[in-house]
Amino acid sequence: MVASPAARRSAPSTSGDREPPKKRRRSKSPKDTREPIIFKSPGLKPDVRLTVVGQVFHVHSIILKLHSNFFRKFLDSADKVAAPASVSFQYDYVSVFDADGAWGLEPAAAKATSSSSEKSLAEYPEAQAREIEPFRKLLCSMYTRPYTINDVFELLTLVRLADYYCALPNLSGTISTALLGSPMFERKACLRESDSDASGYTPGSEDSYLTEFVQRAGEIILAAKKLRHPILFRECFIHLVSALHGCYSLSLQALRNDKDLWLVLNEGKSSLRNKILRTQHFILMICLDRHLEEDLRLDMRNAYFQRHPEYCSMGYRQLLAILDKEKHFKAIRSIEELLQNNLALDRTNFGAGEGPYTNRYLCAELADEDMPWDAAESDW
């Protein structure tokens, strides 16, 4: 089986101490010939060849060792056979596969054990593409080359690879730009949400679709915590707090199992509810005013009182349009705080109470010092 990240981090710098992989085979090159992807660095000649699911990469050992604890430990392991002087690459690694399809890199010279019943990912073009591009982007992060994350699957795969190759700190430090330009935060990335959403949300118009990122925030926040990336974590946090006990049933158990994360989410939910209660107080005080115009009272009832307060962001937005700015300034200020949009990556151009966020709040706050990890730790 593929070694766990903890095992790779704690392993000595000799691969001879590792248990030999069971039922693994090297990936076969696909029928179509792929041009090698060459990463260049001024004054350096590529001395490493990596064959990843049929795709060849020419890279530099000094870069790999600098940014990956995996390569730092195993490229120059004690039992590694030295490459002949005539060979172009000092290091030659290929992807090998477990019976369950998990893969990792091992020296090409190593004798591979295989089973006739096994199949390689290289035999499946779709699976091949899903692994090659995230791996290329992991290398881009090491070389500080620009890259963009196209969808949630690619993001989760990239974090998984960075975790396996012990390169999470490097990826965390380079991924911000890739997230800011990602199409997964745009409206065209929106998907239908289930009619059975416990929050009371019902899909309707084109604008009432949630992005895949929002729908899978429960999965992504676990990757963001592993990556220790405050911006990505906070983006998921805001979406999850808004519907913590309603949506995300598929990832709810995984969130509960992480005690630190579950505590942070519940504290965020409590803070949101306090904001809602404070705003409700001001609205109630307005309604108790016996001098309130009957037309305004009726408009307030239609906009606000027919909805559950936790799913009433659209109602609060409607109240802003009908309340008197001079008479009801306290209520207006409280509503504006409740409708504040704290998202940093979202590109739908909608706020709380609008479009896909008709019944959601986006005002949850989380300081960097309250993130569920040790910010002082530089290698994890």
Side-chain angles (χ1 to χ4, degrees), residues 28-80:
K28 299 176 182 178
S29 299
K31 292 181 180 179
D32 61 308
T33 0
R34 293 174 175 268
E35 290 292 326
I37 296 176
I38 303 172
F39 282 82
K40 298 179 180 180
S41 187
L44 295 176
K45 179 183 177 182
D47 60 345
V48 181
R49 177 169 60 191
L50 305 176
T51 305
V52 177
V53 200
Q55 174 64 61
V56 175
F57 295 90
H58 294 176
V59 290
H60 305 82
S61 61
I62 189 172
I63 301 294
L64 298 182
K65 293 175 186 177
L66 182 64
H67 297 295
S68 165
N69 200 35
F70 175 91
F71 290 109
R72 192 156 53 245
K73 287 180 180 295
F74 295 119
L75 274 185
D76 290 318
S77 56
D79 64 342
K80 180 183 177 296

